[in-house]
Amino acid sequence: MPRVVPEYKVEARTRILDAADQIFGEKGYRQATMDDVAKKLGVSKGALYLYFASKDELFEAICRREPAAFKEILYSTFTEEQVPLKSAGEFFDKMLKRYGSNPGLSFEIFSEASHNPQLRKVLRETQDVYAGTLMNYLEEGQKRGFVGENLDLRSLTYALIGLWNGIEVLVATGLSVSEARKAWLEGFKAIFLQPPTHKRK
């Protein structure tokens, strides 16, 4: 009989996903196994199959859970009461705390998706959720006067996602956290906090 993960189902799934996050990031998708994840948790491989039918399913679950975490970070940092630049700094810190300890995982996900149609479909779906969350926030920002009325929100949404993804790549390839944080804040200021320019008559 396999040892059963000793928490209730939701907590057990969370523990499994957290362990798999680390294993996939350390070993890569191809080399990582369900045995590796089970050992990380201290349970039998059979226990994992009570929650995930395969390594592919486990990997997809990791991808699918991230938009909810992103939404919580976004809405808990960018509030009406706080100075926008301070919020942007807190956003960076929270995102780095969640993802910075395992920078290799994002590369593994994108690499695997390049030749795995099912995972590519999952990433497309999760990207749409990320974009929808951010676009909703930007629409609220327009109503509050924080985001310019003349901006195309869909294009701005993907520009911001691209900026953040680029910052992640820089950190993963050796840029210091302090430099990356400064680059993020400068980009944020350039997009949102520049005073309007007036043409001379």
Coordinates of all heavy atoms in Angstrom, one line a residue, residues 110-172:
F110 N 8.8 26.9 -21.1 CA 8.8 27.4 -22.4 C 9.5 26.4 -23.4 O 9.1 26.2 -24.5 CB 9.5 28.8 -22.5 CG 8.7 29.9 -21.8 CD1 9.3 30.7 -20.9 CD2 7.3 30.0 -22.1 CE1 8.6 31.7 -20.3 CE2 6.6 31.0 -21.4 CZ 7.2 31.9 -20.5
S111 N 10.6 25.8 -22.9 CA 11.3 24.9 -23.8 C 10.4 23.7 -24.1 O 10.3 23.2 -25.2 CB 12.6 24.4 -23.1 OG 13.2 23.4 -23.8
E112 N 9.8 23.1 -23.1 CA 8.9 22.0 -23.3 C 7.7 22.3 -24.2 O 7.3 21.5 -25.0 CB 8.4 21.4 -21.9 CG 7.6 20.2 -22.0 CD 8.3 19.0 -22.6 OE1 9.5 19.0 -22.7 OE2 7.6 18.1 -23.1
A113 N 7.2 23.5 -24.0 CA 6.0 23.9 -24.8 C 6.3 24.0 -26.2 O 5.5 23.9 -27.1 CB 5.5 25.2 -24.2
S114 N 7.6 24.3 -26.6 CA 8.0 24.5 -28.0 C 7.8 23.3 -28.8 O 7.7 23.3 -30.0 CB 9.4 25.0 -28.1 OG 10.3 24.0 -27.7
H115 N 7.8 22.1 -28.2 CA 7.6 20.8 -28.9 C 6.5 19.9 -28.3 O 6.5 18.7 -28.5 CB 8.9 20.1 -29.1 CG 9.7 19.9 -27.9 ND1 9.4 19.0 -26.9 CD2 10.8 20.6 -27.5 CE1 10.3 19.1 -25.9 NE2 11.2 20.1 -26.3
N116 N 5.7 20.5 -27.4 CA 4.6 19.8 -26.7 C 3.3 20.5 -27.0 O 3.0 21.5 -26.2 CB 4.9 19.6 -25.2 CG 3.9 18.8 -24.5 OD1 2.7 18.8 -24.8 ND2 4.4 18.1 -23.4
P117 N 2.5 20.1 -28.0 CA 1.3 20.9 -28.3 C 0.3 21.0 -27.2 O -0.3 22.1 -27.0 CB 0.7 20.0 -29.4 CG 1.8 19.3 -30.0 CD 2.8 19.0 -28.9
Q118 N 0.2 20.0 -26.3 CA -0.8 20.1 -25.2 C -0.3 21.1 -24.2 O -1.1 21.9 -23.7 CB -0.9 18.7 -24.5 CG -1.8 18.7 -23.3 CD -3.2 19.2 -23.5 OE1 -3.7 19.1 -24.7 NE2 -3.8 19.8 -22.5
L119 N 1.0 21.1 -23.9 CA 1.5 22.1 -22.9 C 1.4 23.5 -23.5 O 1.1 24.5 -22.8 CB 2.9 21.8 -22.5 CG 3.5 22.8 -21.5 CD1 2.7 22.9 -20.2 CD2 4.9 22.4 -21.1
R120 N 1.7 23.6 -24.8 CA 1.6 24.9 -25.5 C 0.2 25.5 -25.4 O -0.1 26.7 -25.2 CB 2.0 24.8 -27.0 CG 2.1 26.2 -27.7 CD 3.0 26.1 -28.9 NE 2.6 25.1 -29.9 CZ 3.3 24.0 -30.2 NH1 4.4 23.7 -29.6 NH2 2.8 23.1 -31.1
K121 N -0.8 24.6 -25.5 CA -2.2 25.0 -25.4 C -2.5 25.5 -24.0 O -3.2 26.5 -23.8 CB -3.1 23.8 -25.7 CG -4.6 24.0 -25.6 CD -5.4 22.8 -26.1 CE -6.9 23.0 -26.0 NZ -7.4 23.1 -24.5
V122 N -2.0 24.8 -23.0 CA -2.2 25.2 -21.6 C -1.5 26.5 -21.3 O -2.2 27.4 -20.7 CB -1.5 24.1 -20.6 CG1 -1.5 24.6 -19.2 CG2 -2.3 22.8 -20.7
L123 N -0.3 26.8 -21.9 CA 0.3 28.1 -21.7 C -0.5 29.2 -22.4 O -0.5 30.3 -21.8 CB 1.7 28.0 -22.2 CG 2.8 27.2 -21.4 CD1 4.2 27.4 -22.1 CD2 2.8 27.7 -20.0
R124 N -1.0 28.9 -23.5 CA -1.8 29.9 -24.2 C -3.0 30.3 -23.3 O -3.4 31.5 -23.2 CB -2.3 29.3 -25.5 CG -3.2 30.2 -26.4 CD -2.4 31.4 -27.0 NE -2.8 32.6 -26.3 CZ -2.2 33.8 -26.6 NH1 -1.3 33.9 -27.6 NH2 -2.6 34.9 -26.0
E125 N -3.7 29.3 -22.7 CA -4.8 29.5 -21.9 C -4.4 30.3 -20.6 O -5.1 31.3 -20.3 CB -5.5 28.2 -21.5 CG -6.1 27.5 -22.7 CD -6.5 26.0 -22.3 OE1 -6.3 25.6 -21.1 OE2 -7.1 25.4 -23.2
T126 N -3.3 29.9 -20.0 CA -2.9 30.6 -18.8 C -2.5 32.1 -19.1 O -2.7 33.0 -18.4 CB -1.8 29.9 -18.1 OG1 -0.7 29.7 -18.9 CG2 -2.3 28.6 -17.5
Q127 N -1.8 32.2 -20.3 CA -1.4 33.6 -20.7 C -2.6 34.5 -20.9 O -2.6 35.7 -20.5 CB -0.6 33.5 -22.0 CG -0.1 34.9 -22.4 CD 0.6 34.9 -23.8 OE1 0.0 34.7 -24.8 NE2 1.9 35.0 -23.7
D128 N -3.7 33.9 -21.4 CA -4.9 34.7 -21.6 C -5.5 35.1 -20.2 O -6.1 36.2 -20.1 CB -6.0 33.9 -22.4 CG -5.6 33.7 -23.8 OD1 -4.8 34.5 -24.3 OD2 -6.2 32.8 -24.5
V129 N -5.4 34.2 -19.2 CA -5.9 34.6 -17.9 C -5.0 35.7 -17.3 O -5.5 36.6 -16.7 CB -5.9 33.3 -17.0 CG1 -6.3 33.7 -15.6 CG2 -6.8 32.2 -17.5
Y130 N -3.7 35.5 -17.4 CA -2.8 36.6 -17.0 C -3.2 37.9 -17.6 O -3.3 39.0 -16.9 CB -1.3 36.3 -17.4 CG -0.6 35.4 -16.5 CD1 0.0 34.2 -17.0 CD2 -0.3 35.7 -15.2 CE1 0.7 33.3 -16.2 CE2 0.5 34.9 -14.4 CZ 1.0 33.7 -14.9 OH 1.7 32.8 -14.1
A131 N -3.3 37.9 -18.9 CA -3.6 39.1 -19.7 C -5.0 39.7 -19.3 O -5.1 40.9 -19.1 CB -3.6 38.8 -21.2
G132 N -6.0 38.8 -19.1 CA -7.3 39.3 -18.7 C -7.2 40.0 -17.3 O -7.8 41.1 -17.1
T133 N -6.5 39.4 -16.4 CA -6.4 40.0 -15.0 C -5.7 41.4 -15.1 O -6.2 42.3 -14.5 CB -5.5 39.1 -14.1 OG1 -6.2 37.8 -14.0 CG2 -5.3 39.7 -12.8
L134 N -4.6 41.4 -15.8 CA -3.9 42.7 -15.9 C -4.7 43.7 -16.7 O -4.7 44.9 -16.3 CB -2.6 42.5 -16.6 CG -1.6 43.7 -16.8 CD1 -1.3 44.3 -15.4 CD2 -0.3 43.2 -17.4
M135 N -5.4 43.3 -17.7 CA -6.2 44.3 -18.5 C -7.3 44.9 -17.7 O -7.6 46.1 -17.7 CB -6.7 43.6 -19.8 CG -7.2 44.7 -20.8 SD -7.8 43.9 -22.4 CE -6.4 43.0 -22.8
N136 N -7.9 44.0 -16.8 CA -9.0 44.5 -15.9 C -8.4 45.5 -15.0 O -9.1 46.5 -14.7 CB -9.6 43.3 -15.2 CG -10.5 42.4 -16.0 OD1 -11.0 42.9 -17.1 ND2 -10.7 41.2 -15.6
Y137 N -7.2 45.3 -14.5 CA -6.6 46.2 -13.6 C -6.3 47.5 -14.3 O -6.6 48.6 -13.7 CB -5.3 45.6 -13.0 CG -4.7 46.7 -12.1 CD1 -5.1 46.9 -10.8 CD2 -3.6 47.5 -12.6 CE1 -4.5 47.9 -10.0 CE2 -3.1 48.4 -11.8 CZ -3.5 48.6 -10.5 OH -3.0 49.6 -9.7
L138 N -5.8 47.5 -15.5 CA -5.5 48.7 -16.2 C -6.8 49.5 -16.6 O -6.8 50.7 -16.6 CB -4.8 48.3 -17.5 CG -3.4 47.8 -17.3 CD1 -2.8 47.3 -18.7 CD2 -2.4 48.8 -16.7
E139 N -7.9 48.8 -16.8 CA -9.2 49.5 -17.0 C -9.6 50.2 -15.8 O -10.1 51.4 -15.9 CB -10.3 48.4 -17.4 CG -10.1 47.9 -18.8 CD -11.1 46.8 -19.1 OE1 -11.8 46.4 -18.2 OE2 -11.1 46.4 -20.3
E140 N -9.4 49.6 -14.6 CA -9.7 50.3 -13.4 C -8.8 51.5 -13.2 O -9.2 52.6 -12.7 CB -9.5 49.3 -12.2 CG -10.5 48.2 -12.1 CD -10.2 47.2 -11.1 OE1 -9.3 47.5 -10.2 OE2 -10.7 46.1 -11.1
G141 N -7.5 51.3 -13.7 CA -6.6 52.4 -13.6 C -6.9 53.6 -14.5 O -6.7 54.8 -14.1
Q142 N -7.5 53.3 -15.6 CA -8.0 54.4 -16.5 C -9.1 55.2 -15.8 O -9.2 56.4 -15.9 CB -8.5 53.9 -17.8 CG -7.4 53.7 -18.8 CD -7.9 53.3 -20.2 OE1 -9.0 52.8 -20.4 NE2 -7.2 53.7 -21.2
K143 N -10.0 54.5 -15.1 CA -11.1 55.2 -14.4 C -10.6 56.0 -13.3 O -11.2 57.1 -13.0 CB -12.1 54.1 -13.9 CG -12.8 53.3 -15.0 CD -13.7 52.2 -14.4 CE -14.3 51.4 -15.5 NZ -15.1 50.2 -14.9
R144 N -9.5 55.6 -12.7 CA -8.9 56.4 -11.6 C -8.0 57.5 -12.1 O -7.5 58.2 -11.3 CB -8.2 55.4 -10.6 CG -9.1 54.6 -9.8 CD -8.4 53.3 -9.3 NE -7.1 53.6 -8.8 CZ -6.2 52.6 -8.6 NH1 -6.5 51.3 -8.8 NH2 -4.9 52.9 -8.2
G145 N -7.7 57.5 -13.4 CA -6.8 58.5 -13.9 C -5.4 58.1 -13.8 O -4.5 59.0 -14.1
F146 N -5.1 56.9 -13.4 CA -3.7 56.5 -13.3 C -3.1 56.0 -14.6 O -1.9 56.1 -14.9 CB -3.7 55.3 -12.3 CG -2.3 54.6 -12.2 CD1 -1.2 55.3 -11.7 CD2 -2.2 53.3 -12.5 CE1 0.0 54.6 -11.7 CE2 -1.0 52.6 -12.4 CZ 0.1 53.3 -12.0
V147 N -4.0 55.5 -15.5 CA -3.6 55.0 -16.8 C -4.1 55.9 -17.9 O -5.3 56.3 -17.8 CB -4.1 53.6 -17.1 CG1 -3.6 53.1 -18.5 CG2 -3.5 52.6 -16.0
G148 N -3.3 56.4 -18.8 CA -3.7 57.3 -19.8 C -4.9 56.9 -20.6 O -5.0 55.7 -21.0
E149 N -5.8 57.8 -20.9 CA -7.0 57.5 -21.7 C -6.7 57.0 -23.1 O -7.5 56.3 -23.7 CB -8.0 58.7 -21.7 CG -8.5 59.0 -20.3 CD -9.4 60.2 -20.4 OE1 -9.6 60.8 -21.5 OE2 -10.0 60.6 -19.4
N150 N -5.6 57.5 -23.7 CA -5.4 57.3 -25.1 C -4.6 56.0 -25.3 O -4.2 55.6 -26.5 CB -4.6 58.4 -25.7 CG -3.2 58.6 -25.0 OD1 -3.1 58.3 -23.8 ND2 -2.3 59.2 -25.7
L151 N -4.3 55.2 -24.3 CA -3.5 54.0 -24.4 C -4.4 52.8 -24.9 O -5.5 52.7 -24.4 CB -2.8 53.7 -23.1 CG -1.7 54.6 -22.6 CD1 -1.3 54.2 -21.2 CD2 -0.6 54.6 -23.6
D152 N -3.8 52.0 -25.7 CA -4.5 50.7 -26.1 C -4.2 49.7 -25.0 O -3.0 49.2 -24.9 CB -3.9 50.3 -27.5 CG -4.5 49.0 -28.0 OD1 -4.8 48.1 -27.2 OD2 -4.7 48.9 -29.2
L153 N -5.2 49.4 -24.3 CA -4.9 48.5 -23.1 C -4.5 47.1 -23.4 O -3.7 46.5 -22.7 CB -6.2 48.5 -22.2 CG -6.6 49.8 -21.6 CD1 -7.7 49.6 -20.6 CD2 -5.4 50.5 -20.9
R154 N -5.0 46.6 -24.5 CA -4.5 45.2 -24.9 C -3.0 45.2 -25.2 O -2.3 44.4 -24.8 CB -5.3 44.7 -26.1 CG -4.9 43.3 -26.5 CD -5.8 42.8 -27.7 NE -5.3 41.6 -28.2 CZ -5.6 40.4 -27.7 NH1 -6.3 40.3 -26.6 NH2 -5.1 39.3 -28.2
S155 N -2.6 46.2 -26.0 CA -1.2 46.3 -26.4 C -0.3 46.6 -25.1 O 0.7 46.0 -25.0 CB -1.0 47.4 -27.4 OG -1.7 47.1 -28.6
L156 N -0.8 47.5 -24.3 CA -0.1 47.8 -23.0 C 0.0 46.6 -22.2 O 1.1 46.4 -21.5 CB -0.8 48.9 -22.3 CG -0.2 49.4 -21.0 CD1 1.2 49.8 -21.1 CD2 -1.1 50.5 -20.3
T157 N -1.0 45.8 -22.1 CA -1.0 44.6 -21.3 C 0.1 43.7 -21.7 O 0.9 43.2 -20.9 CB -2.3 43.8 -21.4 OG1 -3.4 44.6 -20.8 CG2 -2.3 42.5 -20.7
Y158 N 0.2 43.4 -23.0 CA 1.3 42.5 -23.5 C 2.7 43.2 -23.4 O 3.7 42.4 -23.2 CB 1.0 42.0 -24.9 CG -0.1 41.0 -24.9 CD1 -1.4 41.3 -25.3 CD2 0.1 39.7 -24.4 CE1 -2.4 40.4 -25.3 CE2 -0.9 38.8 -24.3 CZ -2.2 39.1 -24.8 OH -3.2 38.2 -24.7
A159 N 2.7 44.5 -23.5 CA 4.0 45.2 -23.3 C 4.5 45.0 -21.9 O 5.7 44.7 -21.6 CB 3.9 46.6 -23.6
L160 N 3.6 45.1 -20.9 CA 4.0 44.9 -19.5 C 4.4 43.4 -19.2 O 5.3 43.2 -18.5 CB 2.9 45.3 -18.6 CG 2.6 46.8 -18.6 CD1 1.3 47.1 -17.8 CD2 3.8 47.6 -17.9
I161 N 3.7 42.5 -19.8 CA 4.0 41.1 -19.6 C 5.4 40.8 -20.2 O 6.2 40.2 -19.6 CB 3.0 40.2 -20.2 CG1 1.6 40.2 -19.4 CG2 3.5 38.7 -20.3 CD1 0.5 39.5 -20.1
G162 N 5.6 41.4 -21.4 CA 6.9 41.3 -22.0 C 8.1 41.9 -21.2 O 9.2 41.3 -21.0
L163 N 7.8 43.0 -20.6 CA 8.8 43.7 -19.7 C 9.1 42.8 -18.5 O 10.3 42.6 -18.2 CB 8.2 45.1 -19.2 CG 9.1 45.8 -18.2 CD1 10.5 46.1 -18.8 CD2 8.4 47.1 -17.8
W164 N 8.1 42.3 -17.9 CA 8.4 41.5 -16.7 C 9.1 40.2 -17.1 O 10.0 39.8 -16.4 CB 7.1 41.1 -16.0 CG 7.4 40.2 -14.8 CD1 7.3 38.9 -14.7 CD2 8.0 40.7 -13.6 NE1 7.8 38.4 -13.5 CE2 8.3 39.5 -12.8 CE3 8.5 41.9 -13.1 CZ2 8.9 39.5 -11.5 CZ3 9.1 41.9 -11.8 CH2 9.3 40.8 -11.1
N165 N 8.7 39.5 -18.2 CA 9.3 38.3 -18.6 C 10.8 38.6 -18.9 O 11.7 37.8 -18.6 CB 8.6 37.7 -19.8 CG 7.3 37.1 -19.5 OD1 7.0 36.8 -18.3 ND2 6.5 36.8 -20.5
G166 N 11.1 39.7 -19.5 CA 12.4 40.1 -19.8 C 13.3 40.3 -18.5 O 14.4 39.9 -18.5
I167 N 12.7 40.9 -17.5 CA 13.3 41.1 -16.2 C 13.7 39.7 -15.6 O 14.8 39.5 -15.1 CB 12.5 41.9 -15.3 CG1 12.3 43.3 -15.8 CG2 13.1 41.9 -13.9 CD1 13.5 44.2 -15.7
E168 N 12.7 38.8 -15.7 CA 13.0 37.4 -15.2 C 14.1 36.8 -15.9 O 15.0 36.1 -15.3 CB 11.7 36.6 -15.4 CG 10.6 36.7 -14.4 CD 9.6 35.7 -14.6 OE1 9.1 35.5 -15.7 OE2 9.2 35.0 -13.6
V169 N 14.2 36.9 -17.2 CA 15.3 36.3 -18.0 C 16.6 36.9 -17.5 O 17.6 36.2 -17.3 CB 15.1 36.6 -19.5 CG1 16.4 36.2 -20.3 CG2 13.9 35.7 -20.0
L170 N 16.7 38.2 -17.3 CA 17.9 38.9 -16.9 C 18.4 38.4 -15.6 O 19.6 38.2 -15.3 CB 17.7 40.4 -16.9 CG 17.5 41.1 -18.2 CD1 17.1 42.6 -18.0 CD2 18.8 41.0 -19.1
V171 N 17.4 38.2 -14.6 CA 17.8 37.7 -13.3 C 18.3 36.3 -13.4 O 19.3 35.9 -12.8 CB 16.6 37.8 -12.3 CG1 16.9 37.1 -11.0 CG2 16.2 39.3 -12.0
A172 N 17.6 35.5 -14.2 CA 18.0 34.1 -14.3 C 19.4 33.9 -15.0 O 20.1 32.9 -14.7 CB 17.0 33.3 -15.1

